[in-house]
Amino acid sequence: MVGPTRPQFVLFGSSIVQLSFSHGGWGAILSDIYARKADILLRGYFGWNSRRALQVLNQVFPKDAAIQPSLVIAYFGGNDSMGPHSSGLGPHVPLPEYIESMRKIVIHLQSLSEETRIILLSCPPVDEEKIRGNQSQYLSELVRTNELCQRYSDACLKLGQEMGVKVVDLFTALQKRDDWMDACFTDGIHLSAEGSKIVVEEILKVIKEADWEPCLHWKSMPTEFAEDSPYDLVAADGKTTLNPSEWTFYREHHWD
C-alpha cells in the first residue's frame, strides 16, 4: 500500500475489462478522470464467464479486507452468451445459470460494506460479420450473435432492477451511433477508443445521477494535496502562483 488512502474503484470482469487500459480504453480514461481522487483497480480476466468469476469471488473481494472498494463496476455476459460447443467445453453459460451467477456476485459485493456501490455493465452488441471474417485457425468457430447478446443484456438489466443495482445498458448505448459497427470495436467484439468513450459517458451519467452518499462523481470528490503552494507555477503577474490541482484543459475530451 501507498498513501494517502484513496477510495478504490474496482473494474471486475472479462476481456472488456482486462483490455480497458488498451486502445484508449475506458479503464484508462476513468483513471485519468479520477486522478488524485480515486484509485482505479483492474481485475479483468480475458475469456472468463460468470462461472469462473464465482470461483474467485472471495479471493478478489475478501470480506475481511481492511479497505473495501467504494465502487465495483462488474461485467460478465459476453462469453456466457456464446453459443454452446458440442464438446461441452468453452465459456457458454445457460441464461438461467448466468442470471443466478450474477445474482450471487451482486449479493457478495453488497455484503462487503454499506458504502460499496455497484454498477453492472450489460452485454454489448457485436459485429457478426467482422467476427466471421476474423476466425482464428487456433480456435473452434465462435458463435456470437446479437440475438444472444441481447438476451443476456436484457437479463442483466432485469436483474439490476430487481436487486436495486445500477446497470449500464451497453447493448443499447453503443448502437446509438449510426456507424457503431465500424467505430466501436477493434475486432468486432472488443472496444475501440470510440467505443470506450461511450462506456465512460454512460458510467459517469449513472454516477452523477445516483443518490449515493458520499457522491462518487469526480467533480464532487476531493482532490489529493490540492492546497495552494509557493512552489506552484508563477503567474503572469510575477507575484502569485497558479494551483494546477484541478486543471483539465489537457484532456482530449471534457467529461461531465
Side-chain angles (χ1 to χ4, degrees), residues 61-128:
F61 298 102
K63 292 186 178 183
D64 60 352
I67 299 174
Q68 295 293 359
S70 297
L71 174 66
V72 179
I73 301 176
Y75 165 73
F76 292 97
N79 295 314
D80 300 67
S81 71
M82 289 177 62
H85 193 270
S86 58
S87 67
L89 300 172
H92 170 73
V93 174
L95 186 58
E97 181 185 343
Y98 166 74
I99 294 169
E100 290 311 305
S101 294
M102 294 305 296
R103 187 190 309 278
K104 291 174 183 177
I105 289 171
V106 169
I107 290 172
H108 182 88
L109 296 176
Q110 289 174 327
S111 74
L112 298 178
S113 163
E114 291 185 359
E115 293 189 349
T116 296
R117 310 305 181 188
I118 304 164
I119 299 175
L120 300 179
L121 305 182
S122 82
C123 186
V126 295
D127 182 343
E128 296 180 27

Side-chain angles (χ1 to χ4, degrees), residues 12 53-64 108 111-112:
F12 179 50
L54 281 177
Q55 291 173 354
V56 302
L57 197 56
N58 287 305
Q59 294 170 260
V60 178
F61 298 102
K63 292 186 178 183
D64 60 352
H108 182 88
S111 74
L112 298 178

